[in-house]
Amino acid sequence: MTNLRLILGDQLSSSLSSLKDVTKDDVILMCELMEEATYVRHHPKKIAFIFSAMRHFAEELKAKGYWVRYITLDDPHNTGSLEKETRRVIRESRVKQVIVTEPSEYRLHKTFEFWRIDLGTPINILPDTRFLCTQEEFKRWAGHRRHLRMEYFYRDMRKKYGFLIEQDGEPTGGRWNFDKENRKSPPRGLSSPKRISHLKDHITRDVLSLVKKRFSHHFGNLEPFHYAVTRQQALIELAHFIRELLPYFGDYQDVMVVGEAYLYHSMISSYLNAGLLLPLEVCQIAEQAYRAGKAPLNAVEGFIRQILGWREYVRGIYWMHMPQYGEMNHFNAKEPFPDFYWTANTKMFCIAEAVKHTRDHAYSHHIQRLMVTGNFALLTGLDVKQVQEWYLAVYSDAYEWVEMPNTLGMALFGDGGIMGSKPYAASGKYIDKMSNFCEQCSYDPDKTTTINACPFNSLYWDFMARNQDKLKQNHRLSYVYSSWNRFSPQKQKAIREHATEIIKDMRDGKL
Ligand code: FAD
Ligand code: DLZ
Ligand code: SF4
C-alpha cells in the first residue's frame, strides 16, 4: 500500500507540504487536465507556461528518484477530470491515502471536501506553507477590526518577518511606506532594459505544439514564448530584475508607456503563483539589494510591500469571505462586457494598448489592470462576473484567490469596501498624467462633453452621480461630491447625457 501525493499545476515547489516526507515508495501524481485548462478559456501562454513548468517539475522529481505518474493532455486514457484521473491511479496503484496541499482556489477546496466523503480512500489535506500568513492568522488579525486596511496588515507582517526593520524596532528610513516618492509621471522617451528570453528545450517545444493544436481558439498569442519554466530560469529572471530594474521600480511603478508592457515591473507573479519562486526568498533578496546599496529604499520598500503586503492580504480576504465574496455586486453592475476587451478594436488608445499587451504577453502591469481596463469596467458598470472571467482567463498569473479580490474588490469596488476605502475611479486626467497614451488617442483628455471628449471624463462624473446614494457618506469622496454639487444643473445634465451616449456607443460597438 502506498501514499498518493497529488500535485496541482500551481504547486510546483519542492518545499511543498505534500512533498515534505515523500518516500521513494510513494506515487506522485500530476495531470494535465482539460477541466483545468478550460474552466475559463485561459490564454494559450498561460496554459503553455503551466504545462511546461509542470513537466519540468516532474522531471526534476524523477531525477531525484521519485516515482512520478505524469498524465499528459494527449494521453489517450486521460479523461480530462481531476477526480477521474485520481480514481484511476488509486485503482492502479493500491493507494492507502491521498496527500495533497490545500488548493489555492475555493472551487477545488470544495471538490476535496467532497472527496473526504466519497473518494473511498482517506485524503489528508495539508496547509500551504509557502504563503507568509496563514488563513487563521489573517482571520485573527481581521477579527476585531472594523476596516481591513492593507497598510496596517503590512506593518504587522514587516514586524513578524523583520523586513526593513531596524534594531530599535523602527521601520528602516523612519517610515513604513515610501509611496510619496513612487508616483512619478513618465519622462519623455522612457523605456526599460531588454527582458530575459529563455531557450526552449524539447519539453517546451512539445508543449507549444500541443497548446497550438488544442487551444489556439482561446484569446491571446502563444508565440513568441519567453517564460521561465523551471525554478532555475525563474531565479535568473529574478536576479536580472534585482540587478537591472529594481532600482527604478519605485519611481516608475505607476507609469504607462506605449509599447512597453513591463517597464520596471518584475514579471514574477506567474512564477510566484505557480511555486517556482517563493515569496519569502524574493523579499529577502530584495532587502539584501537595499542593504548592499544596490537599490534605494523607496524601490525596495515598495516592492516588498507588494509581496509581503498586498499578495498575502488579498489571499486573506479571499479565504475569509469565500464563498459569499464571489456573489457580491455592490453597484449591481450588469452592463454586458464589450467585445473590445477581446479585440482591442476601440478608439480609446489606452484600452487598446492594455488589451494588446494582454493579448501578446498574457501580462499587463498593475496600473493598466487597475486604472485602465478596471477603471473603465467600474465606471461603465460592466457585469462583475464577466469582468472577473476576463481577468481570470487572460493573465498568466491569474488564479481566483488573487484575481477575485483584485478585480471584484480593488478594481470594481464590488465588495462594497471590504478591500478598499473608496472606489479606484479616475477620469482621463489620471491616465494622461501617468502615461503617454493620450498623445496618440483620437479623444481629448481635457474635454468632457465635446464630440472628441475622453470617455473617461463624463463616465467618471456619471458614475459618481449614479451611485451617490451608496458613496456620498464616504468622507474620502466628499471633495468629489462638493465639486459635483458646484456644477450647474445644465452642466450636470450635459455630462450625464454625454455619458449615456458613450455607453450607447459602447453597446453599438462604436467607441
Ligand atoms: P510587480 O509590480 O513587479 O510586483 C511584484 C509582485 O507583487 C507581483 O509579482 C505580485 O506577486 C505581487 N503583487 C503586486 N500587487 C499585487 C496585488 N494587488 N495582489 C497580489 N499580489 C500583488 N496578480 C496576480 O498575481 N494574479 C492575478 O490574477 C491578478 N489579477 C489582478 C486583477 C486586477 C484587476 C488588478 C488591479 C490586479 C491584479 N493582480 C493580480 C495584481 C497585480 O496587478 C499583479 O500581481 C502584477 O501586475 C504582476 O506583475 P509583476 O509580477 O510584474 O508585479
Ligand atoms: C491553471 C491550470 C491549468 C491551465 N492547467 C492545469 C492542469 O492541467 N493541471 C493542474 O493540475 N493544474 C492546472 N492549472 C492550475 C490549477 O488550475 C490550479 O492548481 C488550481 O486552480 C488551484 O486551485
Ligand atoms: Fe484613454 Fe481618454 Fe487618454 Fe484616450 S484620451 S488614451 S481614452 S484616457
Side-chain angles (χ1 to χ4, degrees):
M1 296 287 272
T2 181
N3 292 313
L4 175 61
R5 297 179 187 264
L6 174 59
I7 310 289
L8 301 169
D10 60 353
Q11 299 185 336
L12 311 180
S13 318
S14 50
S15 60
L16 197 72
S17 52
S18 58
L19 287 174
K20 198 161 171 257
D21 51 358
V22 59
T23 72
K24 294 192 172 152
D25 296 326
D26 295 345
V27 184
I28 298 173
L29 172 62
M30 299 176 71
C31 342
E32 294 171 10
L33 302 158
M34 269 320 259
E35 200 175 66
E36 288 303 311
T38 56
Y39 72 90
V40 289
R41 283 184 170 206
H42 300 290
H43 195 300
K45 271 195 169 78
K46 175 180 182 181
I47 301 176
F49 160 65
I50 289 175
F51 284 6
S52 182
M54 284 173 69
R55 289 184 187 194
H56 281 94
F57 187 64
E59 289 307 312
E60 285 164 23
L61 291 171
K62 281 183 204 165
K64 287 181 190 158
Y66 296 116
W67 178 14
V68 182
R69 183 83 163 81
Y70 191 96
I71 299 170
T72 58
L73 193 83
D74 48 8
D75 177 334
H77 301 292
N78 185 341
T79 57
S81 143
L82 183 62
E83 179 172 342
K84 289 191 182 133
E85 291 312 293
T86 307
R87 284 185 187 278
R88 183 152 72 95
V89 177
I90 289 175
R91 268 198 315 274
E92 287 169 5
S93 306
R94 291 178 23 95
V95 168
K96 67 168 185 265
Q97 68 165 336
V98 175
I99 301 175
V100 65
T101 293
E102 63 188 347
S104 67
E105 296 186 332
Y106 187 80
R107 180 178 65 83
L108 282 189
H109 161 81
K110 251 182 19 198
T111 303
F112 289 161
E113 287 306 317
F114 282 125
W115 286 13
R116 275 193 205 281
I117 302 159
D118 69 5
L119 192 64
T121 306
I123 173 164
N124 186 4
I125 305 173
L126 301 168
D128 192 339
T129 51
R130 297 171 302 171
F131 287 94
L132 302 175
C133 179
T134 66
Q135 293 175 30
E136 293 67 36
E137 217 179 328
F138 188 85
K139 283 181 192 143
R140 267 200 309 279
W141 173 82
H144 58 280
R145 287 180 161 78
R146 217 155 73 84
H147 297 295
L148 305 182
R149 295 296 163 247
M150 197 291 296
E151 183 62 31
Y152 298 110
F153 168 75
Y154 162 64
R155 289 179 191 182
D156 286 352
M157 291 293 282
R158 285 264 296 275
K159 287 179 204 151
K160 175 177 169 192
Y161 284 94
F163 282 120
L164 298 177
I165 299 284
E166 296 308 304
Q167 292 207 325
D168 59 3
E170 290 300 308
T172 303
R175 274 190 282 149
W176 291 102
N177 182 314
F178 288 81
D179 247 0
K180 273 206 192 86
E181 278 107 283
N182 286 351
R183 297 207 174 102
K184 295 201 174 48
S185 298
R188 242 175 214 288
L190 179 70
S191 61
S192 57
K194 215 170 163 332
R195 311 301 293 222
I196 285 180
S197 179
H198 303 278
L199 284 180
K200 289 179 262 303
D201 63 5
H202 71 280
I203 297 181
T204 300
R205 287 199 302 275
D206 284 354
V207 164
L208 288 176
S209 57
L210 172 74
V211 172
K212 196 169 179 177
K213 204 160 77 200
R214 303 288 292 274
F215 302 102
S216 52
H217 57 294
H218 288 198
F219 164 85
N221 296 335
L222 175 61
E223 285 174 298
F225 183 86
H226 298 305
Y227 279 73
V229 289
T230 62
R231 172 167 165 78
Q232 213 51 41
Q233 292 176 340
L235 283 168
I236 291 172
E237 266 193 62
L238 175 64
H240 178 257
F241 165 75
I242 298 281
R243 203 175 49 241
E244 307 285 336
L245 301 139
L246 177 63
Y248 311 98
F249 174 83
D251 292 352
Y252 302 131
Q253 203 179 339
D254 288 3
V255 158
M256 298 173 279
V257 174
V258 179
E260 291 278 343
Y262 309 117
L263 282 166
Y264 289 87
H265 290 270
S266 65
M267 275 176 71
I268 59 165
S269 48
S270 308
Y271 310 143
L272 279 171
N273 296 350
L276 300 186
L277 295 176
L278 299 172
L280 187 65
E281 68 187 353
V282 174
C283 294
Q284 283 165 342
I285 293 170
E287 175 160 10
Q288 278 159 19
Y290 167 70
R291 300 278 176 209
K294 301 210 166 116
L297 186 55
N298 68 308
V300 173
E301 184 282 311
F303 182 67
I304 289 180
R305 175 159 22 96
Q306 305 310 311
I307 296 168
L308 185 66
W310 279 110
R311 187 169 186 271
E312 297 291 329
Y313 169 80
V314 299
R315 177 173 183 261
I317 295 279
Y318 177 78
W319 283 107
M320 192 171 150
H321 291 283
M322 280 302 277
Q324 299 83 357
Y325 203 74
E327 299 310 314
M328 292 181 184
N329 188 356
H330 185 62
F331 296 124
N332 199 24
K334 293 211 168 115
E335 181 66 35
F337 197 63
D339 220 30
F340 53 68
Y341 275 78
W342 302 109
T343 61
N345 193 4
T346 166
K347 287 181 281 177
M348 289 179 289
F349 190 89
C350 53
I351 300 248
E353 187 70 6
V355 172
K356 283 180 199 160
H357 291 174
T358 305
R359 180 196 63 200
D360 295 346
H361 307 291
Y363 177 92
S364 72
H365 73 62
H366 186 70
I367 295 300
Q368 290 189 324
R369 296 188 204 192
L370 183 64
M371 301 311 288
V372 177
T373 42
N375 185 24
F376 185 83
L378 168 74
L379 300 184
T380 49
L382 299 187
D383 183 292
V384 292
K385 294 248 187 226
Q386 291 181 31
V387 178
Q388 286 179 77
E389 190 171 324
W390 184 80
Y391 277 100
L392 193 54
V394 301
Y395 292 114
S396 60
D397 58 21
Y399 301 85
E400 193 184 78
W401 67 267
V402 52
E403 174 279 325
M404 185 184 277
N406 271 298
T407 308
L408 183 72
M410 198 185 311
L412 303 179
F413 204 72
D415 64 7
I418 293 175
M419 265 195 65
S421 54
K422 71 177 176 68
Y424 277 96
S427 70
K429 287 186 188 59
Y430 173 85
I431 296 172
D432 192 25
K433 179 167 172 262
M434 298 313 296
S435 76
N436 62 0
F437 294 165
C438 304
E439 292 167 17
Q440 297 195 36
C441 188
S442 50
Y443 293 110
D444 185 340
D446 295 325
K447 300 279 188 310
T448 303
T449 52
T450 56
I451 187 132
N452 65 339
C454 168
F456 281 93
N457 292 342
S458 56
L459 289 172
Y460 171 81
W461 288 115
D462 186 60
F463 166 80
M464 291 298 174
R466 197 170 72 233
N467 294 300
Q468 198 158 356
D469 285 353
K470 291 196 166 115
L471 296 175
K472 70 176 176 221
Q473 310 298 352
N474 186 325
H475 69 278
R476 295 199 62 199
L477 293 175
S478 52
Y479 71 99
V480 174
Y481 285 107
S482 58
S483 299
W484 174 249
N485 292 332
R486 278 199 303 273
F487 293 172
S488 68
Q490 292 85 337
K491 185 170 173 181
Q492 289 185 349
K493 185 163 174 276
I495 290 174
R496 297 211 61 187
E497 281 174 2
H498 193 76
T500 306
E501 283 300 309
I502 301 272
I503 291 184
K504 184 170 177 306
D505 281 353
M506 174 179 81
R507 290 177 187 152
D508 296 345
K510 290 187 196 153
L511 205 57

PDB file of all heavy atoms in Angstrom, residues 56-67:
ATOM      1  N   HIS A  56       8.531  20.037 -16.419  1.00  0.00           N
ATOM      2  CA  HIS A  56       9.902  20.188 -15.911  1.00  0.00           C
ATOM      3  C   HIS A  56       9.988  19.807 -14.433  1.00  0.00           C
ATOM      4  O   HIS A  56      10.946  19.164 -14.011  1.00  0.00           O
ATOM      5  CB  HIS A  56      10.399  21.626 -16.113  1.00  0.00           C
ATOM      6  CG  HIS A  56      10.848  21.911 -17.509  1.00  0.00           C
ATOM      7  ND1 HIS A  56      10.036  22.448 -18.467  1.00  0.00           N
ATOM      8  CD2 HIS A  56      12.040  21.696 -18.125  1.00  0.00           C
ATOM      9  CE1 HIS A  56      10.700  22.571 -19.616  1.00  0.00           C
ATOM     10  NE2 HIS A  56      11.919  22.119 -19.427  1.00  0.00           N
ATOM     11  N   PHE A  57       8.978  20.189 -13.678  1.00  0.00           N
ATOM     12  CA  PHE A  57       8.988  19.864 -12.247  1.00  0.00           C
ATOM     13  C   PHE A  57       8.937  18.335 -12.072  1.00  0.00           C
ATOM     14  O   PHE A  57       9.659  17.766 -11.243  1.00  0.00           O
ATOM     15  CB  PHE A  57       7.792  20.543 -11.564  1.00  0.00           C
ATOM     16  CG  PHE A  57       7.797  20.426 -10.066  1.00  0.00           C
ATOM     17  CD1 PHE A  57       8.802  21.019  -9.310  1.00  0.00           C
ATOM     18  CD2 PHE A  57       6.798  19.717  -9.392  1.00  0.00           C
ATOM     19  CE1 PHE A  57       8.813  20.915  -7.914  1.00  0.00           C
ATOM     20  CE2 PHE A  57       6.799  19.608  -8.010  1.00  0.00           C
ATOM     21  CZ  PHE A  57       7.805  20.207  -7.266  1.00  0.00           C
ATOM     22  N   ALA A  58       8.109  17.686 -12.894  1.00  0.00           N
ATOM     23  CA  ALA A  58       8.014  16.213 -12.818  1.00  0.00           C
ATOM     24  C   ALA A  58       9.370  15.583 -13.126  1.00  0.00           C
ATOM     25  O   ALA A  58       9.802  14.635 -12.449  1.00  0.00           O
ATOM     26  CB  ALA A  58       6.955  15.712 -13.796  1.00  0.00           C
ATOM     27  N   GLU A  59      10.054  16.128 -14.134  1.00  0.00           N
ATOM     28  CA  GLU A  59      11.384  15.588 -14.479  1.00  0.00           C
ATOM     29  C   GLU A  59      12.360  15.758 -13.318  1.00  0.00           C
ATOM     30  O   GLU A  59      13.170  14.881 -13.039  1.00  0.00           O
ATOM     31  CB  GLU A  59      11.947  16.286 -15.727  1.00  0.00           C
ATOM     32  CG  GLU A  59      11.236  15.922 -17.025  1.00  0.00           C
ATOM     33  CD  GLU A  59      11.159  14.411 -17.259  1.00  0.00           C
ATOM     34  OE1 GLU A  59      12.197  13.745 -17.106  1.00  0.00           O
ATOM     35  OE2 GLU A  59      10.058  13.916 -17.555  1.00  0.00           O
ATOM     36  N   GLU A  60      12.283  16.916 -12.649  1.00  0.00           N
ATOM     37  CA  GLU A  60      13.192  17.141 -11.503  1.00  0.00           C
ATOM     38  C   GLU A  60      12.921  16.122 -10.400  1.00  0.00           C
ATOM     39  O   GLU A  60      13.862  15.586  -9.788  1.00  0.00           O
ATOM     40  CB  GLU A  60      12.995  18.560 -10.928  1.00  0.00           C
ATOM     41  CG  GLU A  60      13.614  19.646 -11.797  1.00  0.00           C
ATOM     42  CD  GLU A  60      13.087  21.042 -11.447  1.00  0.00           C
ATOM     43  OE1 GLU A  60      12.609  21.254 -10.305  1.00  0.00           O
ATOM     44  OE2 GLU A  60      13.136  21.913 -12.330  1.00  0.00           O
ATOM     45  N   LEU A  61      11.638  15.841 -10.155  1.00  0.00           N
ATOM     46  CA  LEU A  61      11.307  14.861  -9.110  1.00  0.00           C
ATOM     47  C   LEU A  61      11.794  13.465  -9.517  1.00  0.00           C
ATOM     48  O   LEU A  61      12.361  12.726  -8.700  1.00  0.00           O
ATOM     49  CB  LEU A  61       9.794  14.841  -8.856  1.00  0.00           C
ATOM     50  CG  LEU A  61       9.214  16.095  -8.190  1.00  0.00           C
ATOM     51  CD1 LEU A  61       7.689  16.066  -8.197  1.00  0.00           C
ATOM     52  CD2 LEU A  61       9.707  16.219  -6.746  1.00  0.00           C
ATOM     53  N   LYS A  62      11.603  13.139 -10.796  1.00  0.00           N
ATOM     54  CA  LYS A  62      12.061  11.818 -11.283  1.00  0.00           C
ATOM     55  C   LYS A  62      13.575  11.702 -11.127  1.00  0.00           C
ATOM     56  O   LYS A  62      14.091  10.664 -10.727  1.00  0.00           O
ATOM     57  CB  LYS A  62      11.686  11.634 -12.759  1.00  0.00           C
ATOM     58  CG  LYS A  62      10.229  11.261 -12.975  1.00  0.00           C
ATOM     59  CD  LYS A  62      10.004  11.029 -14.471  1.00  0.00           C
ATOM     60  CE  LYS A  62       8.559  11.228 -14.830  1.00  0.00           C
ATOM     61  NZ  LYS A  62       8.338  11.368 -16.271  1.00  0.00           N
ATOM     62  N   ALA A  63      14.273  12.805 -11.463  1.00  0.00           N
ATOM     63  CA  ALA A  63      15.743  12.776 -11.378  1.00  0.00           C
ATOM     64  C   ALA A  63      16.202  12.553  -9.937  1.00  0.00           C
ATOM     65  O   ALA A  63      17.288  12.023  -9.703  1.00  0.00           O
ATOM     66  CB  ALA A  63      16.312  14.081 -11.929  1.00  0.00           C
ATOM     67  N   LYS A  64      15.352  12.920  -8.975  1.00  0.00           N
ATOM     68  CA  LYS A  64      15.725  12.672  -7.567  1.00  0.00           C
ATOM     69  C   LYS A  64      15.352  11.249  -7.148  1.00  0.00           C
ATOM     70  O   LYS A  64      15.504  10.883  -5.981  1.00  0.00           O
ATOM     71  CB  LYS A  64      14.988  13.662  -6.655  1.00  0.00           C
ATOM     72  CG  LYS A  64      15.539  15.078  -6.739  1.00  0.00           C
ATOM     73  CD  LYS A  64      14.755  15.986  -5.790  1.00  0.00           C
ATOM     74  CE  LYS A  64      15.106  17.441  -6.019  1.00  0.00           C
ATOM     75  NZ  LYS A  64      14.064  18.347  -5.548  1.00  0.00           N
ATOM     76  N   GLY A  65      14.780  10.492  -8.083  1.00  0.00           N
ATOM     77  CA  GLY A  65      14.481   9.082  -7.796  1.00  0.00           C
ATOM     78  C   GLY A  65      13.044   8.828  -7.372  1.00  0.00           C
ATOM     79  O   GLY A  65      12.702   7.712  -6.976  1.00  0.00           O
ATOM     80  N   TYR A  66      12.171   9.847  -7.440  1.00  0.00           N
ATOM     81  CA  TYR A  66      10.778   9.621  -7.036  1.00  0.00           C
ATOM     82  C   TYR A  66       9.982   9.022  -8.189  1.00  0.00           C
ATOM     83  O   TYR A  66      10.319   9.179  -9.361  1.00  0.00           O
ATOM     84  CB  TYR A  66      10.138  10.921  -6.546  1.00  0.00           C
ATOM     85  CG  TYR A  66      10.818  11.444  -5.304  1.00  0.00           C
ATOM     86  CD1 TYR A  66      11.502  12.659  -5.314  1.00  0.00           C
ATOM     87  CD2 TYR A  66      10.801  10.692  -4.131  1.00  0.00           C
ATOM     88  CE1 TYR A  66      12.145  13.120  -4.177  1.00  0.00           C
ATOM     89  CE2 TYR A  66      11.451  11.153  -2.988  1.00  0.00           C
ATOM     90  CZ  TYR A  66      12.124  12.356  -3.020  1.00  0.00           C
ATOM     91  OH  TYR A  66      12.771  12.802  -1.905  1.00  0.00           O
ATOM     92  N   TRP A  67       8.907   8.354  -7.786  1.00  0.00           N
ATOM     93  CA  TRP A  67       8.033   7.694  -8.762  1.00  0.00           C
ATOM     94  C   TRP A  67       6.923   8.692  -9.126  1.00  0.00           C
ATOM     95  O   TRP A  67       6.031   8.942  -8.321  1.00  0.00           O
ATOM     96  CB  TRP A  67       7.477   6.422  -8.104  1.00  0.00           C
ATOM     97  CG  TRP A  67       6.519   5.652  -8.938  1.00  0.00           C
ATOM     98  CD1 TRP A  67       6.277   5.766 -10.270  1.00  0.00           C
ATOM     99  CD2 TRP A  67       5.651   4.608  -8.464  1.00  0.00           C
ATOM    100  NE1 TRP A  67       5.327   4.873 -10.669  1.00  0.00           N
ATOM    101  CE2 TRP A  67       4.927   4.142  -9.574  1.00  0.00           C
ATOM    102  CE3 TRP A  67       5.434   4.018  -7.216  1.00  0.00           C
ATOM    103  CZ2 TRP A  67       3.976   3.110  -9.478  1.00  0.00           C
ATOM    104  CZ3 TRP A  67       4.490   2.996  -7.122  1.00  0.00           C
ATOM    105  CH2 TRP A  67       3.781   2.552  -8.247  1.00  0.00           C
TER     106      TRP A  67
END
